[in-house]
Amino acid sequence: MSDQFDYRQMTSRNFGFVTEAEQERLRAGHVFVCGTGGMGGACVQSLARAGVGALELADFDTFEVTNLNRQVFCSMDDLGRSKVEVTAERVRGINPEAAVQTHGEHWLDQLDDILGRCRVVVNGMDDIAAGVRLYRAARARGATVIDAHSSTLPSVFVVRPGDPTPEERLGWPTRGLPHERFTREMLDQCKQAEIEYVLVHSSTANHVVRSVAAEIAAGTRPRISFAPMVITTGNLLAYEAIAALTGRPHGADFRGWFLNPYTGRIERPRWWPVALARRALVQRFLKGA
């Protein structure tokens, strides 16, 4: 069926949202997406349909039944299959001309090579240790990382080479340490610091069952996910990746923002005196949890 494919025809309805020159930049664009499940998969789908010409994808997981609730490339036929290979197949099915390269469990060891080709990175992982290594390598190679907070509200933030990374901004205990010295306790503290930031600067706590949130904070329950939130977040990531490729201004900075679909509002980082007061309440809540 690839002989029926025509890139110009596929992307013809993009014009108006992007110019012809911007579409050519997307066609020449090269994006690395690590984590191709929920947010990452949704982002990949939008980038592929927008006409991004080259995608490098990393994941070492396989699809399972719990992924059916939110991961766009997961179906019953895909259970037990490699996420990254299924995603690559779907991308090629959307755009047969796309250059798609996949990376498995050793992708972190290949970061220098990957970032030499990709100046735009989308972080679709929930692995803090791998994320720290990704951000450090991206800064060294001059790459921009597009990411989302661990939140029940869709969110997005953009970290350019000169911006503070999450590790620096949130004061993680991993700062200045080689990754070989990271401990489980340190990584738990990193996770706790991110949860605290999200609760301080968004209304996340108003839109989640409190007993479930307490179990997640205590580490007795895995992170919850919901298709509208996850897929919306993936598309916010895609918008920022497209901005990076076309040279348009980013809508988000390194602190990011949250989209509240329940109120129809954008929630941005709070003024520091308000944040300070909320932080004390959040810390009390988390200790009680």
Side-chain angles (χ1 to χ4, degrees):
M1 301 294 288
S2 61
D3 58 341
Q4 299 177 12
F5 179 79
D6 181 273
Y7 181 89
R8 177 83 181 179
Q9 185 175 0
M10 182 193 85
T11 59
S12 61
R13 297 198 180 190
N14 292 358
F15 300 123
F17 287 95
V18 297
T19 66
E20 292 197 30
E22 288 172 331
Q23 188 64 58
E24 285 305 307
R25 293 190 194 112
L26 294 179
R27 190 175 193 175
H30 209 141
V31 180
F32 174 49
V33 182
C34 49
T36 60
M39 299 182 305
C43 179
V44 167
Q45 176 174 248
S46 287
L47 294 179
R49 295 189 187 281
V52 172
L55 291 162
E56 298 205 25
L57 312 173
D59 208 312
F60 56 83
D61 205 357
T62 57
F63 283 121
E64 57 186 40
V65 172
T66 58
N67 300 147
L68 289 166
N69 83 318
R70 67 197 183 281
Q71 299 192 11
V72 295
F73 293 126
C74 181
S75 69
M76 286 296 295
D77 291 338
D78 301 313
L79 299 184
R81 297 187 64 200
S82 162
K83 289 183 181 181
V84 74
E85 294 302 332
V86 170
T87 302
E89 285 179 13
R90 300 291 194 275
V91 170
R92 294 184 183 108
I94 294 167
N95 177 3
E97 292 181 2
V100 186
Q101 187 170 346
T102 61
H103 304 276
E105 61 180 328
H106 300 298
W107 68 269
L108 282 166
D109 299 327
Q110 302 162 10
L111 262 180
D112 277 346
D113 288 339
I114 294 170
L115 296 178
R117 296 184 293 271
C118 306
R119 287 293 186 265
V120 179
V121 178
V122 175
N123 183 14
M125 304 181 293
D126 58 5
D127 184 325
I128 289 174
V132 169
R133 294 177 64 183
L134 173 68
Y135 273 100
R136 291 177 180 179
R139 172 176 287 174
R141 300 290 291 187
T144 293
V145 181
I146 299 158
D147 207 337
H149 291 294
S150 180
S151 165
T152 56
L153 297 179
S155 66
V156 62
F157 62 94
V158 178
V159 179
R160 287 166 289 196
D163 291 333
T165 66
E167 180 183 25
E168 296 163 341
R169 178 168 55 87
L170 300 177
W172 287 352
T174 55
R175 289 173 299 170
L177 293 176
H179 68 270
E180 295 88 354
R181 292 180 58 189
F182 294 175
T183 65
R184 184 73 262 163
E185 182 181 7
M186 285 179 184
L187 298 177
D188 288 343
Q189 289 175 17
C190 296
K191 180 179 179 182
Q192 200 77 356
E194 183 177 13
I195 291 172
E196 181 181 297
Y197 180 88
V198 167
L199 293 177
V200 167
H201 293 285
S202 77
S203 62
T204 286
N206 298 336
H207 307 290
V208 64
V209 178
R210 297 294 178 90
S211 59
V212 173
E215 291 175 12
I216 295 170
T220 59
R221 186 186 186 105
R223 190 172 70 176
I224 55 177
S225 295
F226 188 48
M229 187 281 289
V230 171
I231 295 170
T232 299
T233 300
N235 282 307
L236 295 179
L237 299 176
Y239 267 111
E240 295 293 354
I242 288 168
L245 292 172
T246 57
R248 290 189 177 191
H250 285 288
D253 64 8
F254 60 87
R255 301 170 304 165
W257 49 266
F258 301 84
L259 171 63
N260 190 327
Y262 304 100
T263 63
R265 294 180 180 177
I266 298 297
E267 299 178 359
R268 298 187 183 276
R270 300 182 191 274
W271 188 38
W272 72 263
V274 176
L276 196 62
R278 283 182 62 89
R279 186 181 182 192
L281 294 173
V282 166
Q283 288 176 336
R284 194 176 311 156
F285 165 75
L286 292 175
K287 287 179 181 177

